[in-house]
Amino acid sequence: MRGVSVLVVLAAVTLCAGGEYFPDWSSLDTRPSPSWYDEAKIGIFLHWGVFSVPSFKSEWFWNLWQNDDFEVIEFLKKNYPPGWTYADFAPQFRAEFFDPDRWAALFEKSGAKYVVLTSKHHEGFTNWPSSTAFNWNSRDIGPGRDLVGDLRTAVRKRSLRFGVYHSMMDWYHQLYLKDKQNNWKTQHFVEAKCNNELYELVNQYEPDILWSDGEWEAPSRYWNSTNFLAWLYNESPVKDVIVVNDRWGKETRCKHGDFYNCDDRFNPGTLQEHKWENCMSLDRSSWGYRRTMTLDDVLTIEELLKTLAETISCHGNILINVGPRSDGTIDPLFEERLTQLGEWLQLNGEAVYGSRPWKDQRDAADENVWYTQNNGNVYGIVTSWPQVLKLGSFNSTSFDEHATVTIIGYDEPLLVSREADGITIHFPALSSKSKPIYLPVLEFALPAKALTG
Ligand SMILES: *[C@@H]1O[C@H](CO)[C@@H](O)[C@H](O)[C@H]1NC(C)=O
Ligand SMILES: *[C@@H]1O[C@H](CO)[C@@H](O)[C@H](O)[C@H]1NC(C)=O
């Protein structure tokens, strides 16, 4: 028996030259995810590209156009000469006011811990001088600079992690369309372009996150995903820090990856065993910037914080999207929202960063309270301003006579009555001056035995 197991180990070492993971999902799935990602909780997502020039309807503008979307056709008829093509928008992507240090300062102020930029969306335009995107990249046309590299430098100067979003598909690339026609039996596009982009991004920019997308038409076998990921985890310059999501082929969502995105705006409201991320957007109906966006289209700070609470209490991270303008500015409405988020996190960060789910995610009696735990305390993020709060997730053992509860930022202990089926918290009548901002967070100091889950 002993001899056999030594042989098995030797065989494994030989097969897996240079690292411990094999290019198959059962092996890749055993990789422990670097802990920084779970502790970070909050990231900023940026959708920026040629679609930011028309900035009309959404970042799917080109695809809508090809599919004869009525509003897009009318918009083009009214505003552009006949014969105008999508490629004609690229020289107008100028980024003339792009100040990466200013962006990085805003993202740091928001309390986010990582930033994910679209390095290439489905339109195929690369925001770095990719060697396989001739004349369809931000150095050759438009901004005339390496947007990925410039933002990376600015973000890393702050204490923020840097990630790249990458769409594997290019909607209208000839080789991609040819492979599709061949039912993904040929891999011309992967060989000539997609694979090269992934290795280039990792080797040149050493990102902390590789956020893959555009995978859904073809299986991961077509994309060569397991080969790439085995290299990423075994040998790449970021093998010890990188985290990836779950979009690596049409069969991989919610199944493989360091964290799962599943669908856009995934927010299950129940505890998920595997680490996940809720990617969502401040503009309710678009990821890319829209010039027709109004105040009502943008999430309020209370809505944003409620989504954050729902997400982190269920073991998720939140990735908050902002669409910059083609000139490199960020709409002051987004700036305000991110600044408000930062103010709230300055006060309530203990309930968020490094926290873990508690035994209950949502209170057993009041659906407006979401829980986390951190450093021996339980936190309850309350998505309303009640006068009296009756909570069903505590009892006389978990909230014993020594337990206390306070609102963070208002230091007096709150008046609590303990009942057989829960506790009732009486909120003080706070003036607008003494009232903590936006949503209250309760901090429970409980006996140690209540801190399970
Ligand atoms: C897939 O990855 C392997 C290992 O890196 C490589 O040898 C092969 O050329 C790749 N296939 C394509 C189509 O890119
Ligand atoms: C009280 O809550 C604790 C912790 O949640 C639980 O283990 C215990 O069974 C509860 N006791 C009663 C009497 O419900």
Side-chain angles (χ1 to χ4, degrees):
M1 267 325 273
R2 189 165 287 196
V4 170
S5 55
V6 168
L7 273 179
V8 169
V9 169
L10 277 178
V13 169
T14 320
L15 279 170
C16 216
E20 27 181 338
Y21 301 103
F22 296 98
D24 61 61
W25 292 118
S26 58
S27 174
L28 297 168
D29 287 346
T30 63
R31 182 195 187 228
S33 192
S35 61
W36 72 263
Y37 177 78
D38 176 42
E39 289 157 16
K41 304 296 179 197
I42 303 169
I44 301 291
F45 207 2
L46 299 165
H47 273 67
W48 203 26
V50 173
F51 51 80
S52 312
V53 174
S55 49
F56 183 73
K57 282 202 93 165
S58 85
E59 69 292 340
W60 276 57
F61 181 89
W62 192 8
N63 188 277
L64 291 168
W65 181 359
Q66 296 305 302
N67 288 297
D68 295 326
D69 178 89
F70 178 74
E71 287 171 308
V72 168
I73 301 285
E74 287 298 297
F75 166 84
L76 286 160
K77 253 193 221 156
K78 269 193 206 142
N79 300 293
Y80 295 89
W84 188 264
T85 67
Y86 189 71
D88 292 332
F89 285 116
Q92 296 179 11
F93 181 20
R94 304 260 324 275
E96 64 267 43
F97 299 124
F98 176 44
D99 179 350
D101 289 312
R102 205 182 136 79
W103 284 22
L106 171 64
F107 304 149
E108 185 178 55
K109 197 165 74 167
S110 78
K113 299 296 180 194
Y114 57 96
V115 176
V116 178
L117 170 68
T118 50
S119 67
K120 182 193 86 170
H121 202 258
H122 315 320
E123 64 188 13
F125 186 90
T126 63
N127 282 333
W128 84 99
S130 165
S131 62
T132 48
F134 175 70
N135 219 28
W136 195 232
N137 70 75
S138 65
R139 167 78 52 77
D140 290 350
I141 194 161
R145 61 195 279 192
D146 177 358
L147 302 176
V148 173
D150 291 350
L151 184 63
R152 167 195 186 263
T153 303
V155 156
R156 289 260 167 88
K157 269 194 257 166
R158 311 260 162 186
S159 51
L160 295 166
R161 301 263 182 176
F162 182 66
V164 288
Y165 163 106
H166 174 262
S167 167
M168 295 205 283
M169 69 150 70
D170 283 21
W171 277 321
Y172 305 116
H173 195 287
Q174 289 306 312
L175 295 177
Y176 182 69
L177 296 175
K178 194 169 160 192
D179 288 342
K180 192 193 298 202
Q181 217 170 38
N182 292 339
N183 258 320
W184 314 116
K185 289 196 182 75
T186 54
Q187 288 171 289
H188 302 302
F189 175 72
V190 175
E191 217 164 342
K193 194 162 191 287
C194 179
N195 240 10
N196 178 67
E197 289 168 352
L198 288 168
Y199 285 91
E200 215 171 72
L201 281 170
V202 171
N203 285 323
Q204 286 181 23
Y205 304 105
E206 304 190 357
D208 299 297
I209 300 176
L210 186 53
W211 208 105
S212 182
D213 195 19
E215 85 297 1
W216 61 83
E217 294 189 325
S220 63
R221 180 196 47 74
Y222 169 74
W223 297 114
N224 215 12
S225 296
T226 55
N227 276 314
F228 170 72
L229 289 169
W231 171 80
L232 189 69
Y233 288 171
N234 288 332
E235 296 174 66
S236 81
V238 288
K239 65 187 173 63
D240 299 323
V241 294
I242 190 91
V243 292
V244 305
N245 67 343
D246 57 351
R247 299 184 178 180
W248 295 101
K250 68 178 185 186
E251 81 289 7
T252 65
R253 281 195 193 195
C254 260
K255 290 205 179 73
H256 306 292
D258 296 300
F259 64 91
Y260 298 164
N261 283 114
C262 305
D263 296 317
D264 294 354
R265 300 182 181 80
F266 180 66
N267 188 8
T270 54
L271 183 63
Q272 305 293 300
E273 200 182 320
H274 193 84
K275 185 65 199 175
W276 62 282
E277 182 186 69
N278 175 1
C279 65
M280 42 73 72
S281 185
L282 287 183
D283 176 353
R284 292 173 215 277
S285 63
S286 179
W287 303 83
Y289 187 64
R290 292 186 306 132
R291 284 177 290 161
T292 56
M293 181 182 81
T294 65
L295 181 58
D296 289 343
D297 293 330
V298 179
L299 293 194
T300 64
I301 183 63
E302 289 81 9
E303 288 172 315
L304 175 62
L305 293 174
K306 178 171 184 274
T307 309
L308 181 149
E310 292 162 356
T311 301
I312 62 171
S313 64
C314 298
H315 200 209
N317 277 16
I318 188 167
L319 186 62
I320 303 167
N321 179 73
V322 165
R325 297 176 178 133
S326 65
D327 63 10
T329 58
I330 290 178
D331 192 302
L333 203 49
F334 294 147
E335 199 176 341
E336 179 184 58
R337 207 59 82 244
L338 295 183
T339 304
Q340 291 168 326
L341 171 65
E343 286 175 70
W344 185 84
L345 284 163
Q346 275 271 307
L347 185 64
N348 299 299
E350 293 159 89
V352 177
Y353 306 119
S355 68
R356 287 176 298 124
W358 192 42
K359 70 171 179 78
D360 287 0
Q361 282 63 63
R362 194 174 199 173
D363 186 74
D366 188 322
E367 60 175 25
N368 295 310
V369 183
W370 294 87
Y371 294 110
T372 64
Q373 61 174 317
N374 201 6
N375 293 325
N377 291 321
V378 168
Y379 295 91
I381 304 174
V382 187
T383 62
S384 63
W385 263 105
Q387 286 176 318
V388 172
L389 201 58
K390 184 160 164 66
L391 301 180
S393 291
F394 299 89
N395 60 32
S396 53
T397 317
S398 59
F399 199 95
D400 67 11
E401 65 275 19
H402 305 297
T404 58
V405 56
T406 52
I407 300 173
I408 297 181
Y410 175 80
D411 288 334
E412 304 291 317
L414 302 176
L415 197 60
V416 180
S417 19
R418 297 159 60 218
E419 293 118 28
D421 59 345
I423 61 172
T424 299
I425 300 176
H426 304 268
F427 270 50
L430 296 176
S431 71
S432 57
K433 262 201 194 131
S434 57
K435 204 169 167 178
I437 48 174
Y438 312 129
L439 297 182
V441 176
L442 300 170
E443 181 177 282
F444 297 88
L446 302 171
K449 55 184 176 282
L451 288 170
T452 50

